Amino acid sequence: MAMRRAALALALGAASAAAFLNPKPARTQTQTQTQTQTQTRRFLSATAEEVDVAEATKLFGRLAEKAIYLDPAVGACCHSACSDCEWRKPDGGYRFDLIRAGRPKWVPCYEFRDFKDQRGSQTPQWTVMFADNNGLTKAEFFERFVALKFSMPMGPSGFLSGQPAPSDEIMERFWAALTKSIAEVKGVDAAEVETISAQDFIAGFQGWSSQDDVTDEALGPDFVIWSDFIEALA
């Protein structure tokens, strides 16, 4: 028994010495980013348990666009990390004029943006709801919203057709979250928000945005992405 204890003590001592001589390396930036992404996925998974993701996808897919128009002042850029690039930001990132994706990714927080050149302009699909009525009641909003064209967006997993139409439950949740956000902007109680205008819609969505490089602070965030949207519905 004494010999076993002595051997155990020797092994522990060797392990301690090895740990001292070979300390655990500090986390690299990539490892830290990976940990952050993992934590984000866990958060979204927890959120998804509270919200019917398939139904939420039917909402987001009726709002998201494949392009987002940002800063018209930004010119042609090869995005190759050139040291003298005038479109680089102090943190090493880039300013963008517009960004495109293979699938709808962004809900634009603007009614219309025109770069007045070959890059064109954008009128988000959601604005159709307010084309002839800029003060929609809850019933009117629901009716016009479900009529919007659905495209499977970037963010949610899998593939959906968008049909059948979003459930009454998810529409009620959407209305409640949106009117709450609008009410916070206006400084009133959510129950007082009985109609929604295009400007209200933008303000409500901007309250959900996690965008950290806003093009124009006076105008507010430019877009909302899937993670913002599903969190707002939780």
Side-chain angles (χ1 to χ4, degrees):
M1 179 66 73
M3 290 181 64
R4 287 183 180 178
R5 288 177 178 173
L8 179 59
L10 182 62
L12 291 174
S16 298
F20 177 76
L21 294 173
N22 301 285
K24 185 177 181 180
R27 286 183 177 275
T28 64
Q29 182 177 4
T30 299
Q31 289 173 322
T32 301
Q33 291 174 339
T34 299
Q35 181 183 39
T36 300
Q37 292 169 351
T38 299
Q39 291 172 339
T40 300
R41 284 194 294 269
R42 287 175 179 170
F43 168 77
L44 291 178
S45 294
T47 300
E49 292 177 2
E50 302 173 13
V51 181
D52 187 323
V53 175
E55 290 298 322
T57 300
K58 292 179 184 179
L59 303 183
F60 192 71
R62 284 174 163 80
L63 299 171
E65 304 278 344
K66 289 184 178 181
I68 190 73
Y69 278 60
L70 298 171
D71 189 348
V74 174
C77 178
C78 64
H79 303 124
S80 297
C82 303
S83 59
D84 60 346
C85 179
E86 61 182 305
W87 313 122
R88 293 292 297 278
K89 297 189 295 186
D91 64 0
Y94 295 93
R95 291 166 56 200
F96 288 93
D97 51 351
L98 63 90
I99 311 176
R100 299 185 186 279
R103 286 195 292 173
K105 180 178 180 180
W106 305 275
V107 179
C109 293
Y110 50 80
E111 292 183 74
F112 177 69
R113 281 194 178 171
D114 186 1
F115 280 8
K116 302 183 185 301
D117 56 28
Q118 72 280 2
R119 293 171 295 181
S121 62
Q122 182 184 44
T123 301
Q125 176 180 243
W126 64 257
T127 61
V128 173
M129 293 189 293
F130 304 96
D132 61 353
N133 185 348
N134 202 28
L136 302 179
T137 64
K138 182 178 178 180
E140 291 170 334
F141 181 79
F142 283 16
E143 180 181 4
R144 297 186 180 204
F145 184 89
V146 298
L148 294 175
K149 179 183 177 182
F150 173 88
S151 295
M152 185 62 197
M154 187 178 294
S157 59
F159 187 86
L160 298 176
S161 66
Q163 296 298 326
S167 66
D168 291 341
E169 180 181 355
I170 198 66
M171 288 299 299
E172 290 287 348
R173 183 185 282 262
F174 181 31
W175 177 266
L178 184 55
T179 53
K180 177 183 177 182
S181 184
I182 293 169
E184 289 173 352
V185 173
K186 293 184 173 183
V188 300
D189 188 87
E192 297 180 48
V193 181
E194 298 181 342
T195 62
I196 293 180
S197 67
Q199 295 73 33
D200 291 334
F201 186 88
I202 290 172
F205 268 71
Q206 287 181 325
W208 298 343
S209 178
S210 62
Q211 183 185 1
D212 58 6
D213 55 346
V214 177
T215 302
D216 186 335
E217 292 292 344
L219 297 177
D222 302 286
F223 58 80
V224 160
I225 57 177
W226 168 251
S227 56
D228 301 328
F229 187 73
I230 194 70
E231 180 180 352
L233 294 181

